[in-house]
Amino acid sequence: TTGMKIIDISLPLSKKTIVYPGDLKISIKKHKGKTSTHSEITFGSHTGTHLDAPSHVFKNAPGVDKIDLKKMIGNCRVLDMTHVKESIRIVDFRKEKIKKGERILVKTNNSFKGFKKFRNNYIYLDGDAAEYLAKRKISLFGIDYLTVKQKGSSDTRAHDVLLKNKIVIVESIDLSKVKPGKYTFVGLPLKFTGLDGSPIRAVLIKK
């Protein structure tokens, strides 16, 4: 349709794509046949822009193939969290009047610092704030870095509380060119059976 603007918020996937320390790096090997080329791709399930399924942290929990696709398509709000210095807290969400079923993406300074190399001091989601979002019964939460939780922290609620409450976590979205506001979000996982996560091609649509 005319007048529709698509903003790609996915990270490019190549050998240069940064991964969380300890995760598998992307490896691509080309196989040239007589009439066509095939590529062998090795990558971790949480590579680039991706979602976390409940089986990422819970045993025998649903995988990416069981995620309700309705959660992955529809209205969303990009919240301006560029004032945040260390972690996103309850106080940062209070003024946003978050409602049940909302898809919430947070734009922090992570987007401006870029995705060229891994940084330990990224902005993350505070555990209490994760509880707050779960109580509001949102359907999806997205952050502009490789993970929602603080590196090395024993507080794993940013993952656990959201996933326990069937809130989809989307990580590694690039919001550097996105203005806070309302959009349509689209980002579908590959249909890997029982898998703990899957890369997605995430876009925002502005009508």
Side-chain angles (χ1 to χ4, degrees), residues 35-54:
T35 59
S36 60
T37 301
H38 294 259
S39 297
E40 179 187 330
I41 310 166
T42 309
F43 62 88
S45 52
H46 298 257
T47 301
T49 306
H50 67 278
L51 66 77
D52 291 354

Side-chain angles (χ1 to χ4, degrees), residues 60-123:
N60 306 320
V64 294
D65 54 318
K66 295 283 189 281
I67 282 176
D68 181 358
L69 295 181
K70 283 184 191 149
K71 290 182 180 178
M72 308 311 301
I73 303 171
N75 295 336
C76 84
R77 270 201 296 157
V78 175
L79 305 183
D80 186 354
M81 293 290 170
T82 51
H83 61 278
V84 172
K85 295 280 182 281
E86 185 190 348
S87 67
I88 305 166
R89 301 177 186 274
I90 292 175
V91 66
D92 300 307
F93 287 123
R94 278 226 169 98
K95 60 184 181 295
E96 300 291 353
K97 299 189 170 56
I98 290 164
K99 297 175 187 70
K100 184 180 175 178
E102 274 201 292
R103 296 171 192 82
I104 298 292
L105 309 182
V106 289
K107 178 178 183 171
T108 73
N109 284 330
N110 292 338
S111 280
F112 299 120
K113 289 183 177 168
F115 298 86
K116 292 278 184 282
K117 62 178 202 288
F118 186 83
R119 300 185 326 277
N120 286 321
N121 62 339
Y122 55 86
I123 308 289

Side-chain angles (χ1 to χ4, degrees), residues 18-206:
I18 56 165
V19 296
Y20 194 80
D23 278 10
L24 205 59
K25 285 219 170 241
I26 298 181
S27 149
I28 300 169
K29 288 182 194 146
K30 283 205 156 78
H31 296 275
K32 287 201 188 299
K34 279 180 182 167
T35 59
S36 60
T37 301
H38 294 259
S39 297
E40 179 187 330
I41 310 166
T42 309
F43 62 88
S45 52
H46 298 257
T47 301
T49 306
H50 67 278
L51 66 77
D52 291 354
S55 61
H56 181 41
V57 291
F58 300 114
K59 265 188 184 163
N60 306 320
V64 294
D65 54 318
K66 295 283 189 281
I67 282 176
D68 181 358
L69 295 181
K70 283 184 191 149
K71 290 182 180 178
M72 308 311 301
I73 303 171
N75 295 336
C76 84
R77 270 201 296 157
V78 175
L79 305 183
D80 186 354
M81 293 290 170
T82 51
H83 61 278
V84 172
K85 295 280 182 281
E86 185 190 348
S87 67
I88 305 166
R89 301 177 186 274
I90 292 175
V91 66
D92 300 307
F93 287 123
R94 278 226 169 98
K95 60 184 181 295
E96 300 291 353
K97 299 189 170 56
I98 290 164
K99 297 175 187 70
K100 184 180 175 178
E102 274 201 292
R103 296 171 192 82
I104 298 292
L105 309 182
V106 289
K107 178 178 183 171
T108 73
N109 284 330
N110 292 338
S111 280
F112 299 120
K113 289 183 177 168
F115 298 86
K116 292 278 184 282
K117 62 178 202 288
F118 186 83
R119 300 185 326 277
N120 286 321
N121 62 339
Y122 55 86
I123 308 289
Y124 60 91
L125 179 67
D126 171 73
D128 290 340
E131 302 259 13
Y132 180 84
L133 293 175
K135 283 199 186 99
R136 301 251 154 336
K137 294 187 166 63
I138 66 168
S139 62
L140 179 146
F141 179 75
I143 196 164
D144 53 355
Y145 212 61
L146 279 67
T147 177
V148 288
K149 87 176 201 49
Q150 183 182 20
K151 188 172 190 298
S153 170
S154 58
D155 183 357
T156 58
R157 286 178 297 162
H159 270 136
D160 302 353
V161 171
L162 297 182
L163 293 174
K164 191 171 88 184
N165 287 280
K166 296 190 171 66
I167 296 165
V168 178
I169 298 173
V170 175
E171 294 167 330
S172 294
I173 49 176
D174 179 1
L175 297 174
S176 55
K177 295 180 176 68
V178 177
K179 286 182 180 150
K182 293 179 179 178
Y183 297 87
T184 300
F185 173 87
V186 181
L188 299 175
L190 295 172
K191 204 170 178 176
F192 281 111
T193 313
L195 205 65
D196 47 81
S198 167
I200 64 174
R201 183 67 180 267
V203 300
L204 295 178
I205 301 167
K206 192 82 177 168

